[in-house]
Amino acid sequence: MPAPTLFTRNVGTADRAIRVILGVVLLTLALTGQTAWGYLGIVPLLTGAIGTCPLYSLLGFSTCPIENS
């Protein structure tokens, strides 16, 4: 059975790295009491770690290189 289209990989390597770094920075701000908005860092951190972005799926966008099989 094929995976649902919302969970197919659509985030490339550079995009994933940026998301993880941004997520860590935002969560650090939240955990040090700088701003509660920093908890939004969970979203880029998770999408970067998993390698899929539901918004990219809905928009039909992908930063992954095309794999030739």
Side-chain angles (χ1 to χ4, degrees):
M1 179 183 292
T5 56
L6 277 179
F7 298 108
T8 57
R9 289 198 180 247
N10 58 7
V11 180
T13 306
D15 194 3
R16 289 178 77 179
I18 292 167
R19 287 169 183 261
V20 169
I21 291 168
L22 179 65
V24 169
V25 168
L26 288 172
L27 282 174
T28 301
L29 289 174
L31 294 174
T32 59
Q34 301 291 325
T35 178
W37 286 99
Y39 288 111
L40 289 175
I42 293 171
V43 174
L45 184 62
L46 287 177
T47 58
I50 296 171
T52 185
C53 177
L55 184 60
Y56 278 11
S57 295
L58 291 174
L59 297 175
F61 187 72
S62 177
T63 57
C64 269
I66 297 172
E67 295 181 10
N68 295 327
S69 17

